[in-house]
Amino acid sequence: EIVLTQSPATLSLSPGERATLSCRASQSVSSYLAWFQQKPGQAPRLLIYDASNRATGIPARFSGSGSGTDFTLTISSLEPEDFAVYYCQQRSNWPTFGQGTRLEI
Amino acid sequence: QLQLQESGPGLVRPSETLSLTCTVSGGSISSDTYYWAWVRQPPGRGLEWIGSMSYSGSTYYNPSLKTRITIFVDTAKNQLSLRLYSVTAADTAVYYCARFYWYFDVWGPGALVGVFS
């Protein structure tokens, strides 16, 4: 099983600031990594797939980078609606998720 | 627009079988491109993939759950179903169905299932 470790567990920032979230895989997943956003009481929402491709309708302030074992989700300038929990997911063998990063105001 | 909706009992007793159905609307479950998946999330915790299935019957199960689960598709009803056997309190979670093509791109709103005696 490929284990994904996200850091930090909690990130406290203000609107307008830049957010950088990390996801590290226990072995290489090439570029086969996605990022999701989840708000309370809602299903996760796909933001980024294949490490750096924005999903349909996702604002340009969200960007992803990385390959192999180290990946980053960057939110260039935080909007109030961006405060949520973020998960990474790999699809190299069977799908696994990271434990999440809570982005709070 | 494709929509998914989970349905099923909100409470199950320990050792019994959890049964959920996901109804797909706005599109066909009989897609050559996509798989259909179940993902769960215990209260206050992270996401766990349960398993995926194509309309033609190919299935992939989480190794940690494969002895206790069955996933199947009813193409006539455009539905995906999950059976989780011999449940315990650890199976209490929100259960989501999702469309899957390497990643989960369309999700249902989720169904909370509690396991209580």
Side-chain angles (χ1 to χ4, degrees):
Chain A
E1 175 181 342
I2 296 176
V3 176
L4 299 177
T5 302
Q6 293 186 240
S7 62
T10 302
L11 183 59
S12 299
L13 294 170
S14 299
E17 291 191 296
R18 181 184 187 90
T20 303
L21 288 67
S22 174
C23 177
R24 175 164 289 179
S26 58
Q27 62 189 81
S28 176
V29 297
S30 186
S31 295
Y32 302 142
L33 189 107
W35 291 93
F36 294 84
Q37 176 193 69
Q38 187 178 34
K39 297 180 180 179
Q42 297 184 16
R45 173 193 182 197
L46 178 65
L47 299 175
I48 301 286
Y49 66 94
D50 287 345
S52 61
N53 296 294
R54 274 190 301 277
T56 302
I58 301 304
R61 64 180 182 274
F62 291 91
S63 64
S65 63
S67 65
T69 60
D70 290 300
F71 299 86
T72 300
L73 173 69
T74 302
I75 310 172
S76 59
S77 178
L78 286 165
E79 297 287 341
E81 63 267 27
D82 298 337
F83 292 91
V85 179
Y86 292 82
Y87 294 95
C88 55
Q89 176 238 320
Q90 64 80 25
R91 58 108 162 164
S92 249
N93 39 32
W94 71 87
T96 57
F97 294 87
Q99 82 281 14
T101 290
R102 180 177 304 277
L103 178 56
E104 63 178 26
I105 297 178
Chain B
Q1 183 174 350
L2 187 72
Q3 292 187 316
L4 286 66
Q5 179 67 57
E6 305 87 351
S7 59
L11 285 177
V12 183
R13 298 196 181 280
S15 79
E16 295 189 345
T17 298
L18 181 158
S19 298
L20 289 171
T21 297
C22 172
T23 300
V24 178
S25 59
S28 175
I29 205 169
S30 301
S31 165
D32 289 333
T33 302
Y34 295 102
Y35 278 61
W36 305 90
W38 289 98
V39 177
R40 69 179 181 178
Q41 184 172 37
R45 300 185 63 184
L47 299 160
E48 179 182 38
W49 171 70
I50 298 171
S52 303
M53 183 171 190
S54 72
Y55 85 97
S56 60
S58 299
T59 54
Y60 300 90
Y61 294 154
N62 187 317
S64 69
L65 295 169
K66 66 181 298 183
T67 61
R68 295 199 294 131
I69 59 176
T70 300
I71 295 174
F72 56 95
V73 166
D74 185 331
T75 55
K77 295 182 178 179
N78 227 29
Q79 291 179 334
L80 173 74
S81 293
L82 169 69
R83 300 287 185 269
L84 177 60
Y85 309 103
S86 304
V87 298
T88 70
D91 295 311
T92 292
V94 175
Y95 286 78
Y96 296 100
C97 62
R99 188 175 73 173
F100 179 71
Y101 181 62
W102 303 122
Y103 306 108
F104 308 93
D105 67 339
V106 181
W107 297 67
L112 176 61
V113 181
V115 179
F116 298 102
S117 58

